[in-house]
Amino acid sequence: MPINGSTYNYSSGSERQSDSAWSWWPSWRPTSMSLLKTAESKILACIQNDLWARFVTLPNQDRIWTLTLTNKAAHKEPGQATRTPLVMVHGFGGGVGLWIRNLDALSQSRPVYAFDLLGFGRSSRPTFPKDAAKAEEQFVTSIEQWRQSVGLENMILLGHSLGGYLATSYAIQYPSRVSHLILVDPWGFPERLQTNTEAGQRTEVVKRPTLPRWVKAVAAVVSLFNPLAVIRAAGPWGPGLVNRFRPDFKSKFEDLFDDDTMTQYIYHCNAQTPSGEVGFRAMSESLGWAKRPMLQRVHLLPHSIPLTMLYGEWSWVDNSSGDTVLQLRDQAPTRVMVINKASHHVYADQPEEFNRVVQNICSSVN
């Protein structure tokens, strides 16, 4: 299966300052954008529908790696070309390859777009600001500039984890472009601490068990570095590290690949010079909380935008945030659904059910 688009050569250079403390570790990393492209190509070879893969250039010359899928058998169906496209935004440390179980099914009746977020996967890796609001704005602006460059008037916007957080921020800022917002196990919604509120204001407090001192100590050390620095610090042992600590990525796709294709893909996505993860670090506090929790802003999402939140039954993401969103949006069209026997990566754990639910949502649009 041919993949259209020019070869993107990226020289990784030296690590960002926050990774410099790891310099005494092995400096050689068995990775490159070429190896990432090779791993991704093997994944995308599974796609049956028509695929157009290319870089979309933004006004500032950053490039967003983009997939467009259409159903070759449905080209002649009346209305197929006019149906609102589905745009899929991956989570932290991910890339377009992780949607491999979903792309064919979801593109049966409408175009599907998937892209690597700025700073992740094969997209450009620019410098991100250290300020949380500015880092978030850089992500969101890149999504809007991508939409303009691709030429989409509106879309069904689906985001997973970090992608869900950014998709919500995007929909708040550009509501006329979003026909339906689908959040899949979204990161960054709950508030970390009890806050004082004025009379009449609502707050949602998420409480977690008191952490042991050693966990807090480890978290304090890890917070000094970018989240995935250990993968790069491991040098030639990095791929094995991913296999050891994330064997689930292999098992979720084992019927498609009988080797380390998926863990190799994850490794090469995240062993490059950090960029998007620097932006994520700016937006997050220790242990994965968002500095700017989305529950504080979700009421700004216009009631005219239907919202569906999908959670995995076994996910580490607290789905009580979905119940809070239901109350905050009151009469606005909002649904919260739990996919049984699924963890955080709902789309890969239960792909058939996930695809069915998303297809039904899309059909409700047109």
Side-chain angles (χ1 to χ4, degrees):
M1 177 212 63
I3 299 177
N4 298 323
S6 58
T7 301
Y8 182 36
N9 295 316
Y10 184 86
S11 178
S12 62
S14 59
E15 289 288 294
R16 297 282 193 267
Q17 183 178 0
S18 55
D19 280 356
S20 61
W22 295 99
S23 60
W24 53 275
W25 282 73
S27 60
W28 177 68
R29 300 191 303 275
T31 189
S32 66
M33 279 293 178
S34 178
L35 289 172
L36 171 56
K37 178 183 177 181
T38 299
E40 181 190 77
S41 296
K42 185 174 181 180
I43 296 170
L44 298 184
C46 298
I47 292 176
Q48 300 298 311
N49 283 345
D50 288 340
L51 170 65
W52 181 23
R54 80 281 192 194
F55 288 102
V56 173
T57 304
L58 306 185
N60 65 357
Q61 301 306 305
D62 282 337
R63 299 202 290 179
I64 301 296
W65 181 241
T66 303
L67 308 182
T68 303
L69 288 96
T70 54
N71 181 4
K72 62 182 70 176
H75 286 328
K76 297 182 180 179
E77 290 185 9
Q80 198 270 346
T82 61
R83 286 177 181 157
T84 304
L86 172 66
V87 175
M88 308 179 74
V89 187
H90 65 78
F92 176 76
V96 295
L98 293 183
W99 300 117
I100 191 59
R101 287 188 172 279
N102 320 110
L103 294 172
D104 270 333
L106 297 178
S107 60
Q108 289 300 310
S109 59
R110 70 187 63 244
V112 170
Y113 292 79
F115 62 86
D116 286 342
L117 279 166
L118 186 68
F120 290 101
R122 296 181 62 192
S123 290
S124 295
R125 293 177 174 248
T127 300
F128 275 81
K130 295 181 180 180
D131 177 77
K134 291 180 180 178
E136 178 183 329
E137 186 60 26
Q138 184 168 340
F139 278 120
V140 172
T141 298
S142 71
I143 296 174
E144 170 58 10
Q145 291 177 340
W146 172 86
R147 181 201 65 78
Q148 293 176 10
S149 298
V150 172
L152 300 181
E153 285 300 313
N154 49 57
M155 55 190 162
I156 301 166
L157 185 57
L158 181 152
H160 171 251
S161 196
L162 170 62
Y165 181 92
L166 296 175
T168 307
S169 181
Y170 176 88
I172 290 173
Q173 295 188 52
Y174 303 97
S176 66
R177 303 303 181 182
V178 180
S179 301
H180 197 119
L181 180 61
I182 306 173
L183 306 180
V184 184
D185 238 45
W187 169 84
F189 270 67
E191 297 172 307
R192 182 181 183 186
L193 300 173
Q194 175 75 53
T195 58
N196 295 324
T197 58
E198 298 177 4
Q201 288 184 330
R202 174 184 173 78
T203 185
E204 179 74 11
V205 180
V206 175
K207 297 181 179 179
R208 293 185 179 181
T210 301
L211 296 172
R213 289 184 178 180
W214 69 268
V215 173
K216 294 181 179 179
V218 170
V221 172
V222 171
S223 68
L224 298 174
F225 308 97
N226 290 319
L228 300 170
V230 65
I231 293 178
R232 293 180 292 275
W237 298 285
L241 200 64
V242 174
N243 272 321
R244 178 177 179 182
F245 289 99
R246 293 309 305 266
D248 56 309
F249 275 115
K250 181 177 181 178
S251 62
K252 293 177 196 298
F253 302 92
E254 60 185 1
D255 60 322
L256 297 177
F257 310 103
D258 58 5
D259 55 12
D260 295 335
T261 295
M262 294 307 297
T263 51
Q264 284 289 319
Y265 175 69
I266 291 297
Y267 171 74
H268 291 303
C269 275
N270 295 294
Q272 315 296 325
T273 298
S275 172
E277 69 178 275
V278 176
F280 174 78
R281 183 187 176 202
M283 294 161 52
S284 62
E285 295 185 302
S286 62
L287 303 179
W289 298 91
K291 289 180 180 177
R292 306 177 70 235
M294 195 54 69
L295 282 182
Q296 296 177 353
R297 291 178 280 155
V298 72
H299 67 279
L300 299 175
L301 187 68
H303 285 197
S304 59
I305 299 180
L307 168 63
T308 302
M309 304 181 75
L310 304 178
Y311 289 93
E313 178 186 14
W314 299 333
S315 174
W316 55 266
V317 174
D318 186 356
N319 61 27
S320 66
S321 291
D323 297 328
T324 303
V325 172
L326 274 173
Q327 298 177 33
L328 290 173
R329 280 177 53 86
D330 195 17
Q331 300 301 315
T334 308
R335 296 180 64 194
V336 177
M337 304 177 66
V338 176
I339 304 297
N340 293 331
K341 298 181 180 179
S343 63
H344 182 52
H345 296 274
V346 185
Y347 56 89
D349 290 327
Q350 297 295 335
E352 292 184 1
E353 178 64 10
F354 174 85
N355 294 339
R356 184 189 68 79
V357 170
V358 173
Q359 284 174 319
N360 286 341
I361 294 171
C362 291
S363 296
S364 72
V365 175
N366 53 28

Coordinates of all heavy atoms in Angstrom, one line a residue, residues 152-182:
L152 N -11.0 22.1 6.0 CA -12.2 21.6 6.6 C -13.1 22.8 7.1 O -12.6 23.6 7.9 CB -11.9 20.6 7.7 CG -11.1 19.4 7.4 CD1 -10.9 18.5 8.6 CD2 -11.8 18.6 6.3
E153 N -14.3 22.8 6.8 CA -15.2 23.8 7.3 C -15.7 23.4 8.8 O -15.7 24.3 9.6 CB -16.5 23.9 6.4 CG -16.2 24.7 5.2 CD -15.7 26.1 5.4 OE1 -16.3 26.8 6.2 OE2 -14.7 26.5 4.8
N154 N -16.0 22.2 9.0 CA -16.4 21.7 10.3 C -16.0 20.2 10.4 O -15.7 19.6 9.4 CB -17.8 22.0 10.7 CG -18.8 21.5 9.6 OD1 -18.7 20.4 9.2 ND2 -19.5 22.4 9.0
M155 N -16.1 19.7 11.6 CA -15.6 18.3 11.8 C -16.3 17.8 13.1 O -16.7 18.5 14.0 CB -14.1 18.3 12.0 CG -13.6 19.2 13.1 SD -11.8 19.4 13.0 CE -11.5 20.9 13.9
I156 N -16.3 16.5 13.1 CA -16.6 15.7 14.4 C -15.2 15.5 15.0 O -14.4 14.9 14.4 CB -17.3 14.4 14.1 CG1 -18.6 14.6 13.3 CG2 -17.5 13.6 15.4 CD1 -19.2 13.3 12.7
L157 N -15.0 16.1 16.1 CA -13.7 16.1 16.7 C -13.6 15.1 17.9 O -14.3 15.2 18.9 CB -13.3 17.5 17.3 CG -11.9 17.8 17.8 CD1 -10.9 17.4 16.8 CD2 -11.8 19.2 18.3
L158 N -12.6 14.2 17.7 CA -12.4 13.1 18.7 C -11.0 13.2 19.3 O -10.1 13.2 18.5 CB -12.7 11.7 18.1 CG -12.6 10.5 19.0 CD1 -13.4 9.4 18.4 CD2 -11.1 10.0 19.1
G159 N -10.9 13.2 20.6 CA -9.6 13.3 21.2 C -9.5 12.3 22.4 O -10.4 12.1 23.1
H160 N -8.3 11.7 22.4 CA -8.0 10.7 23.5 C -7.0 11.2 24.5 O -6.0 11.8 24.0 CB -7.5 9.4 22.9 CG -7.0 8.4 23.9 ND1 -5.6 8.1 24.0 CD2 -7.6 7.7 24.8 CE1 -5.4 7.3 25.0 NE2 -6.6 7.0 25.5
S161 N -7.3 11.1 25.8 CA -6.3 11.5 26.8 C -5.9 13.0 26.7 O -6.8 13.9 26.7 CB -5.1 10.6 26.8 OG -4.4 10.7 28.0
L162 N -4.6 13.3 26.5 CA -4.2 14.6 26.2 C -4.9 15.2 25.0 O -5.3 16.4 25.0 CB -2.7 14.7 26.0 CG -2.1 16.0 25.5 CD1 -2.3 17.1 26.5 CD2 -0.6 15.9 25.2
G163 N -5.2 14.4 24.0 CA -5.9 14.9 22.8 C -7.3 15.3 23.2 O -7.9 16.2 22.5
G164 N -7.9 14.7 24.2 CA -9.3 15.1 24.6 C -9.2 16.4 25.3 O -10.1 17.2 25.1
Y165 N -8.2 16.7 26.1 CA -8.0 18.0 26.8 C -7.9 19.1 25.7 O -8.5 20.1 25.8 CB -6.8 17.9 27.7 CG -6.5 19.1 28.4 CD1 -7.0 19.3 29.7 CD2 -5.6 20.1 27.9 CE1 -6.7 20.4 30.5 CE2 -5.3 21.2 28.7 CZ -5.8 21.4 29.9 OH -5.5 22.5 30.7
L166 N -7.0 18.8 24.7 CA -6.8 19.8 23.7 C -8.0 20.0 22.8 O -8.3 21.1 22.3 CB -5.5 19.4 22.9 CG -4.2 19.4 23.7 CD1 -3.1 18.9 22.8 CD2 -3.9 20.8 24.2
A167 N -8.7 18.9 22.5 CA -9.9 19.0 21.7 C -11.0 19.9 22.4 O -11.7 20.6 21.7 CB -10.4 17.6 21.4
T168 N -11.1 19.7 23.7 CA -12.0 20.5 24.4 C -11.6 22.0 24.4 O -12.5 22.9 24.1 CB -12.1 20.1 25.9 OG1 -12.4 18.7 25.9 CG2 -13.2 20.8 26.6
S169 N -10.4 22.3 24.6 CA -9.9 23.7 24.5 C -10.1 24.2 23.1 O -10.5 25.4 23.0 CB -8.4 23.7 24.9 OG -7.9 25.0 24.8
Y170 N -9.9 23.4 22.1 CA -10.1 23.9 20.7 C -11.6 24.2 20.5 O -11.9 25.2 19.9 CB -9.7 22.8 19.7 CG -10.0 23.2 18.3 CD1 -9.1 23.9 17.6 CD2 -11.2 22.8 17.7 CE1 -9.4 24.3 16.3 CE2 -11.5 23.2 16.4 CZ -10.6 23.9 15.7 OH -10.8 24.3 14.4
A171 N -12.5 23.3 21.0 CA -13.9 23.5 20.8 C -14.4 24.8 21.5 O -15.4 25.4 21.0 CB -14.7 22.3 21.2
I172 N -13.9 25.1 22.6 CA -14.2 26.3 23.3 C -13.8 27.5 22.5 O -14.6 28.5 22.5 CB -13.6 26.3 24.7 CG1 -14.2 25.2 25.6 CG2 -13.7 27.7 25.4 CD1 -13.5 25.1 27.0
Q173 N -12.7 27.5 21.9 CA -12.2 28.6 21.2 C -12.7 28.7 19.8 O -12.9 29.8 19.2 CB -10.6 28.6 21.1 CG -10.0 28.7 22.5 CD -8.5 28.9 22.3 OE1 -8.0 29.7 21.6 NE2 -7.7 28.1 23.0
Y174 N -13.0 27.6 19.2 CA -13.5 27.6 17.8 C -14.8 26.7 17.7 O -14.8 25.7 16.9 CB -12.4 27.0 16.8 CG -11.1 27.8 16.9 CD1 -10.1 27.3 17.7 CD2 -10.9 29.0 16.2 CE1 -8.9 28.0 17.8 CE2 -9.7 29.7 16.3 CZ -8.7 29.2 17.1 OH -7.5 29.9 17.2
P175 N -15.8 27.1 18.4 CA -17.0 26.3 18.4 C -17.7 26.1 17.1 O -18.3 25.0 16.9 CB -17.9 27.0 19.4 CG -17.5 28.4 19.4 CD -16.0 28.4 19.1
S176 N -17.6 27.0 16.2 CA -18.3 26.9 14.9 C -17.7 25.8 14.0 O -18.4 25.4 13.0 CB -18.3 28.2 14.1 OG -17.0 28.6 13.8
R177 N -16.6 25.3 14.4 CA -15.9 24.3 13.6 C -16.2 22.9 14.1 O -15.7 21.9 13.4 CB -14.4 24.5 13.6 CG -14.0 25.9 13.1 CD -14.5 26.2 11.7 NE -14.1 27.5 11.2 CZ -14.4 28.0 10.0 NH1 -15.2 27.2 9.2 NH2 -14.0 29.2 9.6
V178 N -16.8 22.7 15.2 CA -17.0 21.4 15.8 C -18.5 21.0 15.8 O -19.3 21.7 16.5 CB -16.5 21.4 17.3 CG1 -16.7 20.0 17.9 CG2 -15.0 21.8 17.3
S179 N -18.8 20.0 15.1 CA -20.2 19.5 15.0 C -20.6 18.6 16.2 O -21.7 18.5 16.6 CB -20.5 18.7 13.7 OG -20.2 19.6 12.6
H180 N -19.6 17.9 16.7 CA -19.8 17.0 17.8 C -18.4 16.8 18.4 O -17.4 16.6 17.7 CB -20.4 15.7 17.4 CG -21.0 14.9 18.6 ND1 -22.3 14.5 18.6 CD2 -20.4 14.4 19.7 CE1 -22.6 13.9 19.8 NE2 -21.4 13.7 20.4
L181 N -18.3 16.8 19.8 CA -17.1 16.6 20.5 C -17.1 15.3 21.2 O -18.0 15.0 22.0 CB -16.8 17.8 21.5 CG -15.6 17.7 22.3 CD1 -14.3 17.8 21.4 CD2 -15.5 18.8 23.3
I182 N -16.1 14.4 20.9 CA -16.0 13.1 21.5 C -14.8 13.0 22.3 O -13.7 13.2 21.7 CB -16.1 12.0 20.4 CG1 -17.3 12.1 19.5 CG2 -16.0 10.6 21.1 CD1 -17.2 11.1 18.3

